[in-house]
Amino acid sequence: MRMKYLYFGGLMAVMAACQEQALPLETEKEMMPMRLEASIAQDASSARTVVNSDNGVSFSENDCIGLFVPWEATARKWTYSGSSWTSESSVYWKDKTGNYTFYAYYPCGSQPAASYTAVPMPDLSSQAGTLDGMAAYDFLVASTTTSYSSNSGTLSFTGENAFQHVLSRISFIFDKSSMDEAVQLIHIRLSSDVLSADNTCNLTTKEISSTANSQHAIISAIVNEQSEMLVNPIDNETITLSVVYQIDSEQVTVSKEISSFTLQKGSRNTMNVKVEQGTLSISNAEIASWGAGETFENVTL
């Protein structure tokens, strides 16, 4: 009987030893969940793409970003809630020491993107024209190369790795003082072969490409003699600016062609547009970054 007990005890000891050897692998995986923090360049907030009165931009409750993890085939959706970002299911680091490059984008829809070289962007063809409404058309990207040990498992898109705008913002301010008070400004339209309403973005280069069926015109509503518009960057091109207004029951369109027009990536451009009977004039164009930057005054286009 003693021999049998010893044999059984020895067998249990071997089994326990095997379990102890297996535990570190399980424990290591459980100890390496991925956490995420994100902010937008030139803004200290860690929460939505709402444009504030001081031109700051931040994330907000229920915003979603898409994250490409090197060892997963497609993007993973993360949602901002309360004070943190969470994914639809747990994400773990592959190991503790390896450096990996991660790409992220905002906004992420119900179906995350399949490839980080061609992420679909919001449709720019018809925009609300307001600061609050502009968030629906914004697009931001971020990337970072890091390891688990670099930041105790937190994947950080902050500081120099924070999200950046890839579109250009235009703030239009209208002057219709020389027209009848009954005139109602309806919308503004930019058109050019180099403008594109339907685009994809390559997250590795931050370059924007138009889709095959993209419209080459962008319309934005005019609200209280102002309008905000997001467009793809262009360099030294000719565009046509048109304003549609209504007087009595008649709609009238006035247009102006602008040559040598440049819209830099991530810039905010302010245009003062004077609408007169049958004509448009543009002056005092200002160009600066969305947060802070150099301003060029008294530039006539």
Side-chain angles (χ1 to χ4, degrees):
M1 292 293 290
R2 184 184 177 95
M3 289 295 292
K4 289 183 179 179
Y5 281 122
L6 288 173
Y7 175 77
F8 181 74
L11 179 62
M12 292 297 292
V14 171
M15 291 176 64
C18 291
Q19 288 180 347
E20 288 177 2
Q21 290 178 357
L23 278 175
L25 297 177
E26 295 290 331
T27 305
E28 185 178 12
K29 184 175 181 181
E30 290 175 5
M31 290 176 61
M32 292 200 303
M34 185 176 293
R35 294 178 294 274
L36 189 147
E37 61 180 4
S39 64
I40 297 174
Q42 300 182 353
D43 190 278
S45 303
S46 58
R48 162 153 172 110
T49 63
V50 169
V51 182
N52 308 315
S53 58
D54 61 356
N55 297 319
V57 184
S58 60
F59 292 111
S60 71
E61 187 77 7
N62 296 322
D63 265 358
C64 297
I65 63 175
L67 172 66
F68 283 96
V69 176
W71 49 88
E72 295 187 352
T74 60
R76 184 74 71 98
K77 184 177 180 179
W78 290 69
T79 303
Y80 184 82
S81 180
S83 60
S84 61
W85 294 89
T86 56
S87 61
E88 295 177 309
S89 58
S90 298
V91 183
Y92 294 93
W93 288 85
K94 191 174 183 179
D95 55 59
K96 284 190 173 182
T97 58
N99 276 316
Y100 301 96
T101 299
F102 301 84
Y103 297 100
Y105 66 94
Y106 170 91
C108 178
S110 57
Q111 186 67 39
S115 170
Y116 56 77
T117 60
V119 177
M121 299 175 64
D123 182 1
L124 301 176
S125 59
S126 182
Q127 301 180 30
T130 62
L131 286 175
D132 290 342
M134 193 168 65
Y137 313 98
D138 205 358
F139 192 81
L140 301 99
V141 302
S143 64
T144 185
T145 299
T146 188
S147 67
Y148 173 91
S149 58
S150 296
N151 197 23
S152 301
T154 298
L155 183 60
S156 180
F157 293 107
T158 61
E160 63 181 14
N161 299 316
F163 278 79
Q164 296 182 341
H165 299 277
V166 296
L167 293 170
S168 302
R169 172 185 169 190
I170 311 177
S171 299
F172 295 99
I173 301 172
F174 297 92
D175 177 7
K176 64 181 184 71
S177 58
S178 62
M179 303 183 72
D180 192 288
E181 290 185 0
V183 170
Q184 179 184 356
L185 302 178
I186 300 176
H187 66 249
I188 186 167
R189 180 178 187 266
L190 289 185
S191 57
S192 171
D193 289 341
V194 295
L195 287 176
S196 178
D198 191 8
N199 304 286
T200 62
C201 183
N202 185 328
L203 302 189
T204 64
T205 62
K206 300 178 184 177
E207 294 301 317
I208 296 173
S209 301
S210 62
T211 61
N213 299 318
S214 178
Q215 300 180 49
H216 296 289
I218 298 173
I219 295 174
S220 183
I222 298 174
V223 181
N224 297 325
E225 278 69 65
Q226 296 187 40
S227 186
E228 298 288 340
M229 180 184 288
L230 293 175
V231 302
N232 59 291
I234 59 175
D235 183 24
N236 198 30
E237 301 287 349
T238 297
I239 66 168
T240 299
L241 184 153
S242 302
V243 171
V244 176
Y245 65 86
Q246 182 168 317
I247 182 167
D248 299 325
S249 58
E250 180 184 4
Q251 283 196 1
V252 179
T253 301
V254 288
S255 300
K256 181 180 180 65
E257 189 174 88
I258 307 172
S259 59
S260 303
F261 193 66
T262 296
L263 294 171
Q264 299 173 354
K265 184 183 302 180
S267 65
R268 184 199 179 196
N269 309 269
T270 302
M271 285 191 183
N272 295 302
V273 182
K274 188 170 185 178
V275 185
E276 299 178 309
Q277 200 72 34
T279 63
L280 286 177
S281 60
I282 303 171
S283 62
N284 297 332
E286 298 177 354
I287 305 171
S289 70
W290 280 22
E294 190 173 7
T295 298
F296 303 92
E297 298 181 350
N298 299 321
V299 178
T300 301
L301 301 179

